[in-house]
Amino acid sequence: DKDRDRDRAGSRIERDEPEREGRPARSEDYREARTRARDQEETREARPESRPEARPESRPEARWHQEDVTPTATVVLRHVPFKAVEEDIRPALEALARIADVRLTRDRQTGESRGLCFVDFASVDDARAAMSVGAITVLGDRVRLEYSR
């Protein structure tokens, strides 16, 4: 009986079975697949462009996405906290430049903020002055500034 059980256990591993859920049926194949996946991950991590600190958008001073945009008097604020209202945004920007209008986008049905705000400045020069900081803090969250297109 012991020999029969041992043969059954051994034959399960050696038998060619189809893959289950994307994994090889044989344990050796599974180990090889995991080793290949780990090697690929290590290679990916070793490349400088895969590290977050190497990507330009992760550095606050990098504004590559704004280089080709013509400055306008309207600035878009992204990642505005959902609990923020216009009165929370206005003081942070008035310290930088003269504001004509603040429009917080809201869902039409629920009235909740969508995390996006448009700010009209008195002039393009005022908008440039506000854009020079790149981001402001509203209700403890960092809010990104971009020129409206």
Side-chain angles (χ1 to χ4, degrees), residues 23 28-40:
R23 293 187 174 150
E28 301 90 39
D29 293 340
Y30 181 68
R31 273 190 232 113
E32 288 175 19
R34 287 193 57 186
T35 302
R36 271 194 309 273
R38 192 172 337 131
D39 290 344
Q40 288 174 351

Side-chain angles (χ1 to χ4, degrees), residues 1-91:
D1 289 326
K2 291 181 182 178
D3 292 334
R4 189 182 58 187
D5 292 339
R6 188 176 58 231
D7 289 341
R8 283 185 189 162
S11 66
R12 258 187 269 133
I13 293 173
E14 294 170 10
R15 200 172 44 208
D16 286 329
E17 295 179 5
E19 291 187 6
R20 293 185 198 144
E21 299 179 24
R23 293 187 174 150
R26 295 176 49 191
S27 61
E28 301 90 39
D29 293 340
Y30 181 68
R31 273 190 232 113
E32 288 175 19
R34 287 193 57 186
T35 302
R36 271 194 309 273
R38 192 172 337 131
D39 290 344
Q40 288 174 351
E41 184 66 30
E42 288 171 0
T43 303
R44 197 175 308 124
E45 289 175 1
R47 287 184 282 181
E49 65 271 7
S50 69
R51 292 191 315 260
E53 64 273 7
R55 289 187 221 126
E57 64 269 15
S58 66
R59 295 191 319 258
E61 69 273 7
R63 293 194 191 120
W64 58 268
H65 59 282
Q66 287 290 314
E67 291 174 359
D68 60 342
V69 177
T70 305
T72 63
T74 303
V75 172
V76 179
L77 278 64
R78 298 187 185 275
H79 306 292
V80 177
F82 293 115
K83 293 181 180 180
V85 293
E86 287 84 354
E87 290 77 27
D88 297 324
I89 298 166
R90 188 176 288 275

Side-chain angles (χ1 to χ4, degrees), residues 76-84 104-107 112-117 143-144:
V76 179
L77 278 64
R78 298 187 185 275
H79 306 292
V80 177
F82 293 115
K83 293 181 180 180
L104 189 63
T105 59
R106 298 185 180 281
D107 184 271
E112 294 178 7
S113 171
R114 294 180 131 187
L116 190 69
C117 181
V143 177
R144 195 174 71 201

